[in-house]
Amino acid sequence: MTAILDEIVAYVQFDDRDRERLLGLRTNLEPHFPAIADRFYSALWANPGTAAMLSSPAQVERLRLTLIDWMASGLTGVFDDEFYEKRSRIGRRHVQIGLAQHYMFTAMSVVRTAYLDQIIAMYPPEVALLVARSLDKLFDVELALMLRSYQLDSEAKLVERERQIQADRIAAIQTLSAGLAHEVRNPLNAARLQLELLERRVKRTSDDPKLREPTALANQEMARLGALLDHFVHFARSPDLRRSDTDVTALARNVIDLERPVANVASCELVFDDTTGVHANVDAGKLHQILQQLIRNAIEAEARRVTIATRADDDYLYLEVTDDGAGMADAVRARVYDPFFTTKDTSVGLGMSIAHSYVAMHGGSIDIQSSPNGTTIAIALPR
Ligand code: ADP
Ligand code: MG
């Protein structure tokens, strides 16, 4: 997580001497922090664009304390996890309140000038220059981190928009499927009934295979159509989410046991990476479906071994299905959630769109990593 911070710090060539100078400066500046904070906030108030972001005196007082802590922690020159966490929080806050990026630079300039005024007053000129140089590095690290918060936010928004487009597309085709299945079902049933009557009459009047064969074939085709219709209906039916406290470990083990005969036929081994009993407030039926689809796809990708892992933290349930199968080409990867997209001869191409739709209903996310050595599908669902 802090690899990026390490990179920034190394890039500006911040070293132990910089750290020493900043620590010395910190001791000298500490008594002036409140005055510098006042200067910072009078500049904020003086500018209509930033003054509009300030609401109450209580808020300003909170911000003042945050700023003083920011000054004190920055001047230690210690760039560790805690520093990164603090800066990330402040950055996220800037993004949240919609602070325009140019204000980060103007506001930092005010603090920088306030620091420099003190440095000029406190140090002999040659030393002042070196301290200012170290300070510049610190400020650039701070600014780089602040910019990154905006970048992370726009990336997250892009991913979210992509997900929403995909979910909308699936929903549209679900509606179409529902209508189509409904309209086709009745005539198909009627035709099947008539065919049955015809078969019986043919049987009664002759046992000529030339007459029987076509009806048998027609029957077969109608059965196929019926099965396809079942897929449609299943895909179209998107009942509301029914969350309940679910023993995910038990559920996963159950799905794996049910799929094992299919796997055995394909000489594929299913491995449950079993952590301690994982519970989550999810729709058990849909979770079952998701896992089943992922496992079947892995087996159908000619995997020798499929590992299913379930984990959880405070906020999320994580499901991971890893296979050592054929993997997906980029072109497949790009269309994998499209309803009816399949690369298989006798498949319908609904598995991944159903999984996507169920995950979206939970407010979760799916991530696919694939190479010619295999595929990992990782799902995160809010608990
Ligand atoms: P279907 O399994 O009916 O083809 P899916 O929606 O389940 O439909 O999957 C769509 C396509 O995505 C598959 O045809 C296959 O090409 C690809 N795919 C899905 N899962 C995997 C996997 N684990 N490994 C390789 N390819 C996969
Ligand atoms: Mg499938």
Side-chain angles (χ1 to χ4, degrees):
M1 199 56 192
T2 52
I4 185 83
L5 177 59
D6 292 343
E7 188 201 312
I8 293 171
V9 171
Y11 204 126
V12 301
Q13 302 177 345
F14 190 94
D15 59 25
D16 285 341
R17 273 179 310 174
D18 291 312
R19 186 166 298 113
E20 245 167 66
R21 286 188 204 114
L22 289 187
L23 273 174
L25 178 64
R26 183 179 193 258
T27 315
N28 292 328
L29 273 185
E30 215 153 20
H32 302 280
F33 283 165
I36 296 173
D38 288 341
R39 205 163 145 180
F40 179 84
Y41 282 101
S42 30
L44 273 188
W45 282 117
N47 182 300
T50 44
M53 307 237 135
L54 300 171
S55 54
S56 63
Q59 183 214 14
V60 173
E61 186 47 33
R62 259 200 323 277
L63 288 174
R64 249 186 112 237
L65 293 177
T66 310
L67 178 60
I68 289 175
D69 179 67
W70 179 89
M71 294 191 269
S73 56
L75 288 172
T76 58
V78 175
F79 303 113
D80 56 6
D81 285 356
E82 197 192 330
F83 175 85
Y84 184 80
E85 242 324 294
K86 264 186 187 168
R87 274 13 180 203
S88 301
R89 250 198 322 272
I90 295 174
R92 280 197 296 272
R93 191 82 196 111
H94 287 163
V95 174
Q96 259 171 23
I97 62 172
L99 181 74
Q101 295 186 36
H102 66 270
Y103 290 130
M104 292 184 317
F105 288 86
T106 50
M108 288 292 263
S109 175
V110 173
V111 184
R112 192 195 306 254
T113 306
Y115 278 19
L116 286 175
D117 286 346
Q118 295 296 334
I119 291 172
I120 291 165
M122 286 187 290
Y123 293 89
E126 335 76 75
V127 185
L129 209 58
L130 287 174
V131 175
R133 187 168 168 270
S134 302
L135 192 64
D136 268 344
K137 294 183 186 180
L138 169 68
F139 272 70
D140 288 339
V141 169
E142 298 275 14
L143 281 169
L145 283 179
M146 286 185 198
L147 278 179
R148 196 173 139 74
S149 305
Y150 284 87
Q151 190 200 337
L152 287 177
D153 182 63
S154 59
E155 278 168 13
K157 280 188 181 137
L158 263 182
V159 169
E160 183 45 46
R161 191 172 323 142
E162 228 1 85
R163 194 173 293 153
Q164 192 54 48
I165 289 171
Q166 188 64 256
D168 289 348
R169 190 184 308 158
I170 291 176
I173 300 179
Q174 278 173 324
T175 310
L176 182 75
S177 296
L180 200 64
H182 183 78
E183 292 302 321
V184 174
R185 178 80 79 195
N186 286 338
L188 181 67
N189 283 344
R192 270 177 141 169
L193 205 70
Q194 293 304 321
L195 187 64
E196 224 173 88
L197 288 177
L198 184 65
E199 263 187 321
R200 259 187 245 150
R201 278 180 206 162
V202 167
K203 239 180 245 172
R204 234 181 293 138
T205 52
S206 109
D207 52 1
D208 183 356
K210 272 212 184 93
L211 280 176
R212 283 172 149 199
E213 237 170 58
T215 53
L217 280 177
N219 238 330
Q220 240 176 41
E221 293 304 310
M222 283 188 179
R224 257 179 57 175
L225 199 53
L228 188 64
L229 221 51
D230 288 341
H231 279 291
F232 266 52
V233 170
H234 187 84
F235 171 60
R237 193 184 48 204
S238 188
D240 297 337
L241 204 61
R242 281 203 220 114
R243 284 183 189 268
S244 64
D245 181 31
T246 304
D247 181 344
V248 177
T249 307
L251 183 146
R253 185 168 295 125
N254 183 239
V255 178
I256 292 168
D257 288 343
L258 287 172
E259 294 307 311
R260 192 155 278 128
V262 183
N264 284 340
V265 171
S267 318
C268 172
E269 182 192 8
L270 299 185
V271 182
F272 188 22
D273 184 351
D274 184 10
T275 39
T276 45
V278 173
H279 277 254
N281 192 26
V282 292
D283 186 320
K286 294 195 171 59
L287 197 61
H288 187 116
Q289 276 281 327
I290 293 171
L291 267 178
Q292 188 185 46
Q293 300 294 347
L294 298 188
I295 293 173
R296 291 216 171 148
N297 280 343
I299 297 171
E300 285 160 8
E302 290 179 340
R304 294 282 73 110
R305 192 183 161 94
V306 181
T307 307
I308 299 97
T310 51
R311 285 185 298 118
D313 60 20
D314 287 348
D315 303 322
Y316 286 93
L317 164 69
Y318 302 98
L319 303 171
E320 230 175 67
V321 177
T322 302
D323 68 61
D324 57 2
M328 295 178 212
D330 286 348
V332 172
R333 168 83 190 68
R335 299 193 55 197
V336 73
Y337 300 122
D338 290 354
F340 307 110
F341 171 77
T342 181
T343 56
K344 301 165 193 169
D345 289 339
T346 55
S347 212
V348 193
L350 285 177
M352 290 304 284
S353 30
I354 290 175
H356 187 283
S357 133
Y358 286 175
V359 168
M361 285 173 90
H362 280 89
S365 62
I366 308 191
D367 177 62
I368 299 180
Q369 301 290 334
S370 192
S371 79
N373 299 323
T375 302
T376 295
I377 307 211
I379 291 179
L381 302 178
R383 287 178 77 189

